[in-house]
Amino acid sequence: MNNLWYLLSQLSMWVAPVFYKVLFITLTASLVGVVVLLVEKILDDKISPLWKYLLWGIMLVALLVPVRPHSAFSIVSGIEGVQEISYREEYEEATSALAQTEQELGDGTVPQQIQEMRHRQQRAYWKTMLFDVALPLFWLFGVIAALLFFAGSRINLMLKLRGQTLQDKEIIRLMQQCKQEMGVRREIPVLMPQCAHWFNPAIWYLFQQLRADMELLNDSFVLNKIGAQQSKAYAKSLVAVLGYSRNIALMPRLLSMTDGKKNVERRIDMIRMGEKFKQHRVWIAAGCILLIAVIALLFLTTKPITAQQAADMLLDSIKNEEGMVSFTIPRQYDPVEDWTIEITCNTTLPGNTSVNQYFFAEENTHKSWKKGKTYTIPLKDPNGTKLTMEISLPGGVSESFELVSGASEIENNSFTGIRFEEQEQESATGFQVVAKFPAGWETQPYDESVYIPGNFDGVLAIYDGNRPIAAIGYSEFTPYEEEIPQEEYYKTVYPDLRLSSIFCWDEYQPVKTTETGETALTNIWYCDPKELDNYMGEMPDCPILETSGILSYDKSLGVYVGIAFDPEQIERAEVEALAKTLQITN
């Protein structure tokens, strides 16, 4: 029994991708077929039999051609994901993570995390059993059964016809004449149906409609050969065949010419309209070609996505559950080698220390990310872990995400960069200020709508819609080489801002410290610039204004940044939250 189960499991690994490819094909072909059917119902008496049949060719292309070119007009891209359905990797990774965690504990305890990982493994097991094994094998057995059924029906029909010959010499002569005129010199084979789509009733029904239109085309072809004067006789023969077929067993009635009274009536109506179709054949052809192009453009293409859309789709796919973080590479974006996804895990350890771990370095180095694949990251201590993801794609697309310690979901921390270009001085370098600026904030040329006291270069105004709320500028400084305690280093960076007589950035409160820099909150006191000219020489009497600010420096770049905020437009808590995300990079 175990050997049989192993063989079935191995077989399903090969069958599953084929099944889900067929599922995608049958869904798109069904949509195309329904559209073609609606078009024919609306324009039934305006389209000739030839173009009715050619319209069905779009559905046949959808069934037979698995490759879809890109088009911005595609409306079926949403169902492409069915081709990638698989939970094998999720189950294998959950099993591996569980085994590793249990081995590391090794003391027989069953903490909450282990229980959650076991539940996740069980869910992945049942999902892979259903979607990777049961459904694909059920489809395969259905294909085999359908092939056997139709093969048996064909053999049964041949046995019934054995020994029976056509006696009417006139009919025999007519048949030979038709074969000769059509260039048929051998026996015509009977094709087996498309058994791979046995589970889709829409395909069965649509093929029935296709066969009916194929008979209309046959009628048109025959009348072109025998002449329009024979149309009445031909129509009578259709009625006669219908009468003979009423008592015929089911299997021979697979022939479309015996599909019933309504179908025969429709064929006779089309015969009557033969001359009308000939008169308007140019307009009919032009309209049908346009219809075919539109349907193919909408249903037989896939919609390409931009790099930004791909990054957003990856964000939407992120999940955090039961000690496992997962994300999926969007399959709609090409080329997959463009992805750079840097994931850093910072775990706090006893003794006020921490350890950084880097994931998927090999995928980034060798550019071996796979479209549609879900990648998972096990977190041994979710409550003491900080997980950061940096996504980069061509075209300047850059996104950052952070798993907040103890949070139940990945939060979208979308960072925005303000770029300061290189200055004329040889010592200056280009850099950018990156922070989680709220949505809607943007920089504009500085117009003193918000005043920034100090001798800053490259000053910009920051607006929230139409409201000026802040100003940002930078200055260069020469880093001290002497050994200076970290908590005192800022005094060497900002002496001009701290010691001026008309402004002062003081009450320095660090909120973020790195190896090369520091970001802090400050209060800013400054003489009212509108009154300053009235108190020259009497600075102590000048009206003083107060606001909140952020200071940040980076020793490796030799620059510092100051941001002054309008106190009436933004709260102190918002300033602090922004400061914690700010960093200066090149």
Side-chain angles (χ1 to χ4, degrees):
M1 188 66 181
N2 289 337
N3 289 337
L4 176 61
W5 173 246
Y6 174 77
L7 291 175
L8 290 176
S9 179
Q10 293 297 307
L11 177 62
S12 67
M13 293 181 66
W14 174 82
V15 175
V18 178
F19 166 63
Y20 287 110
K21 187 69 175 180
V22 170
L23 181 60
F24 167 70
I25 289 173
T26 199
L27 289 175
T28 54
S30 298
L31 290 173
V32 171
V34 168
V35 172
V36 170
L37 188 61
L38 290 175
V39 169
E40 290 201 355
K41 293 295 184 183
I42 297 171
L43 304 175
D44 188 43
D45 60 347
K46 297 178 176 62
I47 303 177
S48 65
L50 173 62
W51 286 106
K52 282 183 170 66
Y53 188 67
L54 291 178
L55 280 171
W56 287 111
I58 315 174
M59 186 182 75
L60 296 178
V61 170
L63 284 170
L64 299 175
V65 181
V67 179
R68 301 285 190 266
H70 287 313
S71 166
F73 300 98
S74 173
I75 61 174
V76 297
S77 296
I79 62 175
E80 282 188 296
V82 299
Q83 301 175 89
E84 308 297 334
I85 293 177
S86 177
Y87 295 94
R88 285 185 183 273
E89 290 187 0
E90 180 182 334
Y91 171 65
E92 293 171 356
E93 291 174 355
T95 301
S96 177
L98 175 62
Q100 182 179 352
T101 304
E102 289 178 333
Q103 184 179 9
E104 290 174 351
L105 290 176
D107 56 2
T109 61
V110 185
Q112 182 66 25
Q113 184 184 357
I114 294 293
Q115 290 282 27
E116 292 175 349
M117 295 179 74
R118 286 176 179 171
H119 290 156
R120 182 179 185 275
Q121 183 208 31
Q122 283 296 310
R123 284 202 301 271
Y125 170 77
W126 288 113
K127 285 192 290 188
T128 195
M129 284 295 299
L130 175 62
F131 292 101
D132 294 302
V133 179
L135 288 179
L137 291 181
F138 181 68
W139 167 77
L140 177 63
F141 296 148
V143 171
I144 296 172
L147 285 170
L148 293 175
F149 173 78
F150 285 110
S153 300
R154 170 65 176 167
I155 294 172
N156 183 42
L157 179 61
M158 292 175 63
L159 291 175
K160 287 183 178 181
L161 296 177
R162 178 180 293 177
Q164 299 186 24
T165 59
L166 187 62
Q167 302 297 326
D168 194 315
K169 295 181 179 180
E170 180 62 20
I171 294 179
I172 294 174
R173 184 190 66 77
L174 256 167
M175 184 182 71
Q176 294 299 328
Q177 180 183 345
C178 289
K179 288 177 64 176
Q180 189 176 22
E181 291 188 13
M182 290 186 293
V184 177
R185 295 182 175 83
R186 58 187 177 84
E187 294 298 320
I188 302 173
V190 177
L191 299 177
M192 299 299 289
Q194 303 254 357
C195 295
H197 304 275
W198 64 267
F199 60 93
N200 186 351
I203 292 294
W204 287 80
Y205 176 76
L206 292 168
F207 261 89
Q208 182 182 6
Q209 302 303 308
L210 184 153
R211 290 195 300 270
D213 283 344
M214 182 173 61
E215 291 298 328
L216 294 180
L217 181 61
N218 290 338
D219 295 340
S220 175
F221 187 81
V222 170
L223 289 175
N224 284 335
K225 293 297 182 181
I226 66 176
Q229 65 274 13
Q230 298 292 331
S231 59
K232 289 185 178 181
Y234 183 75
K236 289 181 180 179
S237 69
L238 293 180
V239 176
V241 171
L242 177 62
Y244 291 137
S245 66
R246 297 182 67 178
N247 298 320
I248 298 179
L250 175 64
M251 290 307 109
R253 289 182 61 125
L254 289 173
L255 297 172
S256 296
M257 62 186 302
T258 64
D259 273 349
K261 180 180 177 182
K262 287 186 178 181
N263 183 46
V264 172
E265 289 177 350
R266 179 170 178 252
R267 292 173 66 181
I268 293 173
D269 289 339
M270 287 293 127
I271 291 172
R272 292 171 180 167
M273 290 188 289
E275 290 301 317
K276 173 186 173 182
F277 293 140
K278 289 181 180 179
Q279 293 174 5
H280 302 285
R281 59 179 178 271
V282 174
W283 290 106
I284 293 173
C288 290
I289 290 173
L290 180 61
L291 274 173
I292 290 173
V294 171
I295 296 172
L297 192 64
L298 294 177
F299 293 94
L300 299 186
T301 59
T302 60
K303 183 178 293 185
I305 62 174
T306 65
Q308 185 61 60
Q309 288 173 325
D312 293 340
M313 290 177 67
L314 190 147
L315 164 63
D316 293 338
S317 74
I318 296 176
K319 296 180 182 178
N320 176 20
E321 54 182 9
E322 300 172 2
M324 301 286 286
V325 175
S326 65
F327 62 93
T328 303
I329 305 295
R331 69 176 312 278
Q332 296 93 330
Y333 180 79
D334 281 317
V336 71
E337 294 80 13
D338 283 351
W339 288 98
T340 298
I341 307 173
E342 297 177 349
I343 300 178
T344 306
C345 180
N346 180 274
T347 304
T348 303
L349 301 177
N352 199 27
T353 60
S354 63
V355 172
N356 285 338
Q357 183 180 3
Y358 302 94
F359 293 95
F360 307 116
E362 183 175 352
E363 282 80 357
N364 274 328
T365 301
H366 300 291
K367 297 297 181 181
S368 57
W369 299 101
K370 295 181 179 179
K371 290 191 294 185
K373 181 178 179 179
T374 298
Y375 295 83
T376 59
I377 307 163
L379 302 178
K380 298 178 183 177
D381 182 15
N383 294 325
T385 296
K386 179 180 179 182
L387 191 69
T388 304
M389 174 185 287
E390 301 284 342
I391 299 174
S392 297
L393 284 170
V397 175
S398 179
E399 298 285 350
S400 299
F401 312 105
E402 184 175 330
L403 175 62
V404 180
S405 178
S408 60
E409 62 181 4
I410 296 288
E411 295 187 357
N412 175 13
N413 289 341
S414 184
F415 285 68
T416 303
I418 299 176
R419 183 75 185 176
F420 290 93
E421 300 298 337
E422 295 185 2
Q423 302 299 303
E424 294 180 358
Q425 298 90 341
E426 293 183 359
S427 60
T429 57
F431 67 97
Q432 64 178 345
V433 179
V434 179
K436 187 188 175 187
F437 293 102
W441 284 25
E442 62 179 8
T443 58
Q444 296 186 15
Y446 183 62
D447 57 3
E448 297 188 358
S449 299
V450 177
Y451 182 67
I452 181 167
N455 297 320
F456 290 94
D457 296 320
V459 179
L460 296 170
I462 300 177
Y463 277 70
D464 182 7
N466 295 324
R467 297 182 301 134
I469 55 175
I472 181 172
Y474 77 94
S475 292
E476 298 178 48
F477 73 98
T478 302
Y480 269 55
E481 299 294 334
E482 293 84 1
E483 185 107 5
I484 299 175
Q486 175 65 48
E487 62 273 15
E488 298 294 323
Y489 195 91
Y490 77 95
K491 296 179 180 179
T492 70
V493 179
Y494 312 115
D496 293 338
L497 299 181
R498 298 178 60 248
L499 304 176
S500 172
S501 60
I502 58 174
F503 57 84
C504 181
W505 297 61
D506 207 351
E507 294 191 1
Y508 188 87
Q509 178 188 339
V511 295
K512 181 180 179 180
T513 303
T514 66
E515 292 182 358
T516 60
E518 191 172 70
T519 301
L521 296 176
T522 68
N523 285 333
I524 309 172
W525 289 273
Y526 59 101
C527 294
D528 188 344
K530 297 178 181 178
E531 300 288 339
L532 193 58
D533 291 340
N534 298 327
Y535 292 88
M536 296 303 295
E538 299 177 348
M539 291 302 176
D541 297 327
C542 183
I544 299 296
L545 302 179
E546 180 180 355
T547 188
S548 298
I550 296 176
L551 288 175
S552 183
Y553 70 85
D554 187 277
K555 291 187 288 187
S556 64
L557 295 172
V559 295
Y560 68 81
V561 172
I563 308 178
F565 295 89
D566 185 339
E568 296 180 1
Q569 301 289 342
I570 187 168
E571 299 290 337
R572 176 79 173 187
E574 297 177 84
V575 176
E576 182 175 356
L578 179 62
K580 290 180 179 179
T581 69
L582 190 144
Q583 57 182 325
I584 303 174
T585 64
N586 53 19

